[in-house]
Amino acid sequence: MTLTAAPRTSAAEPVEDDTADALTLGRRIRERRAQLGLTLEQLATAIDRAPSQLSAIENGKREPRLPILRALAAALDCTVDELLDDEAPSERAALEIAVERAQRGSVFRSLGIPAIRVSKATSDDTLKAILGLHQEVERLHRERAATPEEARRANTELRAEMRVRGNYFAELEAEAQRLLGAVGYSGGPVSQRTIAQVAEKLGFSLHYVTDLPHSTRSVIDRRNGRIYLGANLPSRDARAPILRALASLVCRHEEPRNYGDFLRQRVEANYLAGAVLLPEDATVELLSAAKRERQISMEDLRDAFAVSYEMAAHRFTNLATERLDLEVHFMKAHESGTLIKAYENDGVRFPSDALGNLEGATVCRNWTARTVFAQPDRFNPWYQYTDMAAGGTYWCTSRVEKAKEGEYSVSVGVPFDAVKWFRGRETSHRSTSDCPDERCCRRASDGLTRKWESAAWPEAATPTSLLAALPTGTFPGVDAHEVYEFLEANEVR
């Protein structure tokens, strides 16, 4: 089997927020039900679903799968296309949808104001006033953010696409299977020798050097077919850097034109590395068996494929929704409390600014991602339930890992209804988070504030590279002069 570089995967086109569609669909279902004189309970019985599930659909909080949508159309004596019409069923419904969408947006949430319940008794004038005020606040936030916000905007757009996909990239899964199939992989942890064979099939040789540029993880010499890695890299951990380097070839990455390109390439490279080291079929088989036994565990996944905990957690989120029918969230937080990476499709509300940017936000001290740092036992995972002020209870499993910038927590969580599938569900550890209310965990006592507010002058420990914007035509954090001198010194003569 011959390996060739695949067409560049496109995680690129911006994805529209699907909240409006869910709200419109819900209003159309509700209005049609009212026209037919059906109660919520009667329609729920007709489609064999609980009234609470139907209520969530009508309120735009849950988007029904196709079988449920067909059942609803049959029960309501209409077509699926009629239900999916993107036009609101009435002017009043359009106004209600606009207000609901505004209240669920990041600008409204950042204000810390409780949302109002939109009911028949709420007048049109009240709804119009709320909507007008929200639009003005949103305009002011946009003006304030119209500076070097490229990196944050690109992060937000990419995260929206990942959410729509369920964090599952079928084209990269296929590439991983093709790469492994070409070298005769037959199961078990993927060895470094296997990775070297993949590189060889692609026409590249691996070279471990002592003078790798300090600002790089690896350097590819495309002219001479060489991949350079640091000689002091631990053998087990060398597999991921090699695969990330190979991903740039397989996905045909070119020099990023902007920060959005750079982020997409990083996501694709990390995804492909995970898909090779934890092959889809074998990983799904292990996780499906664990789900049947109600013993899903990131530690078991990590150990089965000899990867890091963070990679196992990432890989779980790739497959959880598409292959296991589980909605989940993932987060990586610095010991300072700063959110570094995050993904969710289970409704958890991460801390964010008014434009929906997560990276750099401060995680609530009561969340699992923060409380884990206080635990003396670093051998066993930390499990915790957290009751959220925004509604709902979430269960998380978390571990602390070390990096050169300090310690990080890596956490995977699910809503309360899904915890039955996971090991650690019996934990008695429970916390309550009232964030973004500052009284929850961010505001010091009045006495301490009076004593220290004029005397304290701290310096942030958060890695400054986290939110650095990308100058056009460069690689963030990489010294190009150093890289070119390195390649010149190692040129094959």
Side-chain angles (χ1 to χ4, degrees):
M1 181 176 182
T2 303
L3 293 184
T4 57
R8 183 178 176 189
T9 53
S10 102
E13 295 79 7
V15 175
E16 293 183 2
D17 188 344
D18 62 353
T19 304
D21 291 338
L23 286 167
T24 304
L25 172 62
R27 288 303 191 282
R28 297 192 75 83
I29 292 170
R30 180 184 295 169
E31 184 145 315
R32 181 65 180 166
R33 174 172 64 78
Q35 289 172 355
L36 296 175
L38 295 173
T39 65
L40 186 75
E41 290 74 15
Q42 287 171 329
L43 181 55
T45 300
I47 64 171
D48 194 25
R49 288 292 182 274
S52 59
Q53 288 180 284
L54 179 58
S55 177
I57 292 172
E58 289 194 351
N59 289 320
K61 295 180 179 178
R62 177 177 296 181
E63 199 163 349
R65 295 177 183 270
L66 187 56
I68 298 177
L69 199 56
R70 287 172 175 161
L72 281 166
L76 294 171
D77 193 24
C78 64
T79 66
V80 170
D81 286 343
E82 286 177 299
L83 292 181
L84 292 176
D85 190 335
D86 58 7
E87 184 176 342
S90 65
E91 288 187 14
R92 167 69 183 198
L95 186 58
E96 291 181 358
I97 289 169
V99 171
E100 287 282 8
R101 190 181 187 191
Q103 292 190 134
R104 297 180 190 186
S106 53
V107 171
F108 192 96
R109 291 203 304 266
S110 71
L111 299 175
I113 301 173
I116 69 161
R117 182 177 178 275
V118 178
S119 67
K120 291 180 180 179
T122 311
S123 70
D124 287 5
D125 287 344
T126 299
L127 295 179
K128 288 176 182 177
I130 292 171
L131 190 59
L133 288 170
H134 177 268
Q135 289 170 344
E136 179 61 16
V137 171
E138 197 171 45
R139 183 188 67 79
L140 293 172
H141 277 295
R142 281 198 303 270
E143 287 183 358
R144 189 184 306 168
T147 50
E149 286 290 328
E150 179 185 8
R152 294 188 175 197
R153 281 195 293 268
N155 260 319
T156 303
E157 289 174 5
L158 183 56
R159 189 170 56 252
E161 178 178 353
M162 293 165 71
R163 191 183 192 282
V164 169
R165 284 176 172 248
N167 205 20
Y168 179 83
F169 290 77
E171 64 275 23
L172 293 178
E173 298 288 353
E175 285 299 331
Q177 290 180 16
R178 189 170 63 89
L179 292 172
L180 289 171
V183 296
Y185 168 78
S186 58
V190 179
S191 67
Q192 187 166 328
R193 174 59 184 156
T194 299
I195 303 305
Q197 290 174 330
V198 170
E200 186 178 346
K201 286 282 188 179
L202 288 168
F204 283 79
S205 57
L206 305 177
H207 300 268
Y208 294 87
V209 295
T210 57
D211 59 340
L212 190 73
H214 296 293
S215 59
T216 64
R217 294 176 175 176
S218 65
V219 175
I220 300 176
D221 179 353
R222 294 186 176 185
R223 180 181 302 159
N224 295 290
R226 290 181 156 211
I227 298 177
Y228 294 100
L229 301 116
N232 61 346
L233 200 63
S235 59
R236 195 178 94 174
D237 292 339
R239 297 172 303 159
I242 295 170
L243 287 167
R244 285 194 294 263
L246 293 175
S248 70
L249 306 169
V250 175
C251 299
R252 293 182 180 174
H253 289 160
E254 298 296 337
E255 185 173 329
R257 297 162 298 176
N258 50 47
Y259 201 80
D261 275 356
F262 169 73
L263 283 179
R264 264 173 249 288
Q265 291 178 8
R266 286 287 293 271
V267 166
E268 290 170 0
N270 285 325
Y271 193 110
L272 187 65
V276 171
L277 292 176
L278 295 93
E280 181 176 17
D281 290 344
T283 304
V284 170
E285 183 180 358
L286 183 149
L287 289 172
S288 297
K291 186 181 180 185
R292 288 193 296 272
E293 296 173 4
R294 301 184 178 227
Q295 288 292 315
I296 294 177
S297 162
M298 299 307 109
E299 284 73 19
D300 287 355
L301 189 58
R302 173 199 63 190
D303 296 343
F305 294 95
V307 296
S308 70
Y309 181 85
E310 183 175 351
M311 178 167 282
H314 263 301
R315 190 67 178 130
F316 174 72
T317 68
N318 296 153
L319 302 171
T321 303
E322 182 72 17
R323 301 300 304 273
L324 301 174
D325 198 28
L326 292 173
E327 294 180 337
V328 300
H329 67 269
F330 166 93
M331 61 193 307
K332 181 178 180 180
H334 186 254
E335 60 185 328
S336 63
T338 304
L339 187 58
I340 306 299
K341 294 180 185 178
Y343 165 77
E344 63 81 23
N345 68 354
D346 62 355
V348 72
R349 291 186 175 181
F350 289 124
S352 68
D353 65 14
L355 296 180
N357 304 309
L358 307 182
E359 290 74 13
T362 301
V363 178
C364 176
R365 293 176 184 273
N366 299 320
W367 282 22
T368 315
R370 294 289 299 277
T371 59
V372 66
F373 288 108
Q375 309 312 315
D377 181 3
R378 295 292 173 88
F379 180 77
N380 293 301
W382 173 247
Y383 306 119
Q384 178 182 303
Y385 290 96
T386 306
D387 301 316
M388 304 293 191
T393 296
Y394 291 84
W395 172 93
C396 281
T397 175
S398 186
R399 273 193 177 277
V400 173
E401 295 196 331
K402 291 184 178 180
K404 61 182 180 180
E405 299 92 351
E407 291 188 331
Y408 293 87
S409 66
V410 176
S411 309
V412 172
V414 293
F416 182 82
D417 289 346
V419 73
K420 60 187 176 184
W421 309 114
F422 291 80
R423 184 181 304 159
R425 61 186 175 275
E426 69 284 350
T427 182
S428 60
H429 302 130
R430 195 168 194 130
S431 182
T432 299
S433 171
D434 292 322
C435 282
D437 187 335
E438 289 190 352
R439 291 171 295 181
C440 174
C441 67
R442 299 180 190 177
R443 185 185 297 174
S445 67
D446 292 342
L448 287 177
T449 300
R450 285 192 298 270
K451 180 177 180 179
W452 291 108
E453 65 179 341
S454 61
W457 191 269
E459 180 181 359
T462 303
T464 55
S465 60
L466 173 63
L467 299 175
L470 171 71
T472 302
T474 63
F475 293 87
V478 172
D479 184 334
H481 177 73
E482 186 183 23
V483 171
Y484 298 155
E485 280 195 337
F486 166 80
L487 288 174
E488 181 65 23
N490 288 275
E491 175 76 23
V492 178
R493 305 296 181 184

